[in-house]
Amino acid sequence: MSTAEDIDRKLAEKQARKQAKKQAKKQAKKEAKRRLSVDEEFEKLDEYHIERGRVVFVDNSQKREGGYGVVQQAHLHISAYLPTWIASYVYGEPQLVAVKQIMVPRTQNAWDLKRAFTKEVLVWSRVKGHPGISKFVGFCADLDRKETWLISPWEPYGNVSEFIKGRELEVPEKLSL
């Protein structure tokens, strides 16, 4: 190889490294902007955040598993700081709720979880008053421990499939559900 070819090859390699570095910087900047956007959206959801201590799971067999999580019956208390018997005496009985504990793969990192969870909470919190969608009460999230809970009122008849199975309904009634 001649010296001119070596120089051309080295210049091309240098330019390729410079281009790759520039692309990596651009990608990092874009990623930082996305993370900031998710963080900002997550902060907006603070009004729906429920302290974990307010949720007391009911010890019974009312536990249902699905593809993305486990739904369990719980009581939602007014205060996380008062003993439950005092809170019940002062504020009345706690609200009976369904807590969906979302199953998270161990391989999923905390940021991806936060992004997906934020999207789910944003969508559900904005759908208000629709007769076919359960009311959104709030959420608990400890993203570092990969624990995320969605909270809605407890429906005594379960989901639509369980409701239909437990009743003798005509086809038009089933379709309306």
Side-chain angles (χ1 to χ4, degrees):
M1 236 200 261
S2 71
T3 311
E5 289 174 343
D6 285 342
I7 292 172
D8 285 344
R9 185 179 48 80
K10 287 181 181 179
L11 281 174
E13 288 173 359
K14 185 177 181 180
Q15 207 166 20
R17 283 193 306 271
K18 189 176 181 180
Q19 185 67 24
K21 195 175 187 180
K22 187 177 180 181
Q23 188 67 23
K25 267 187 180 180
K26 188 176 179 180
Q27 189 67 25
K29 200 175 196 179
K30 189 176 177 181
E31 182 69 19
K33 191 174 182 179
R34 269 187 33 207
R35 286 181 187 257
L36 181 62
S37 173
V38 169
D39 289 340
E40 288 171 351
E41 291 299 319
F42 189 77
E43 292 301 318
K44 289 179 187 176
L45 298 171
D46 198 46
E47 68 180 286
Y48 297 107
H49 184 262
I50 295 172
E51 292 180 48
R52 190 178 177 156
R54 291 180 54 200
V55 179
V56 178
F57 289 99
V58 176
D59 188 29
N60 65 14
S61 62
Q62 296 286 344
K63 192 177 196 179
R64 295 178 176 90
E65 292 188 36
Y68 297 104
V70 176
V71 178
Q72 231 177 319
Q73 193 178 50
H75 287 126
L76 179 61
H77 292 271
I78 296 294
S79 172
Y81 303 106
L82 291 174
T84 55
W85 67 273
I86 294 176
S88 295
Y89 180 76
V90 174
Y91 299 109
E93 290 300 312
Q95 180 182 2
L96 192 60
V97 294
V99 178
K100 179 180 180 182
Q101 298 170 302
I102 299 172
M103 289 189 284
V104 180
R106 297 214 182 273
T107 57
Q108 188 172 19
N109 66 39
W111 189 82
D112 286 339
L113 172 62
K114 185 175 189 177
R115 183 173 47 88
F117 185 72
T118 299
K119 185 177 179 181
E120 174 99 12
V121 172
L122 278 171
V123 170
W124 198 11
S125 66
R126 290 179 180 161
V127 180
K128 296 179 181 171
H130 190 285
I133 298 175
S134 192
K135 182 179 178 257
F136 179 69
V137 174
F139 71 93
C140 294
D142 186 345
L143 297 168
D144 294 328
R145 292 175 54 191
K146 295 184 180 180
E147 290 184 358
T148 53
W149 302 349
L150 297 170
I151 302 171
S152 64
W154 180 258
E155 300 295 338
Y157 300 110
N159 60 35
V160 174
S161 299
E162 291 172 358
F163 181 78
I164 291 172
K165 283 180 192 172
R167 300 193 169 37
E168 291 185 24
L169 302 172
E170 299 295 324
V171 172
E173 293 170 314
K174 289 180 181 179
L175 291 174
S176 72
L177 294 173

